[in-house]
Amino acid sequence: SPDIELLSETPSRVIVVVKDGTKLQSLCEKFQLPVKKLGITGGDALIVNGSKISIAELRKAHTETIPKLFGRN
């Protein structure tokens, strides 16, 4: 499913960010590895399927969630 492709990382599936996607595409073709472009990075928000979340909100969730869970505000 598209959600699994977007959010799942397993020993055989990873998400990478590269400056030049054509180089990665060529390398994957050379070694017969499947590769799929999920999106483009940049800007001030993450937009997935029409839903927009600001980078500031994502940063806050990333840095504050675990400390809050363990009572370390």
Side-chain angles (χ1 to χ4, degrees):
S1 86
D3 293 337
I4 296 296
E5 290 176 353
L6 178 62
L7 301 173
S8 174
E9 289 190 38
T10 65
S12 62
R13 180 183 299 155
V14 295
I15 297 173
V16 297
V17 177
V18 295
K19 288 185 179 183
D20 184 352
T22 57
K23 289 180 181 180
L24 178 63
Q25 183 73 37
S26 296
L27 187 61
C28 289
E29 287 174 5
K30 178 180 178 180
F31 291 98
Q32 299 178 340
L33 299 171
V35 64
K36 183 173 184 176
K37 180 179 176 179
L38 297 176
I40 299 172
T41 59
D44 63 353
L46 172 67
I47 303 170
V48 177
N49 297 330
S51 297
K52 183 176 180 178
I53 306 170
S54 74
I55 297 300
E57 187 177 346
L58 291 168
R59 184 176 291 113
K60 183 177 178 180
H62 175 73
T63 59
E64 294 180 8
T65 300
I66 298 295
K68 281 184 180 179
L69 288 173
F70 291 96
R72 297 179 184 163
N73 300 0

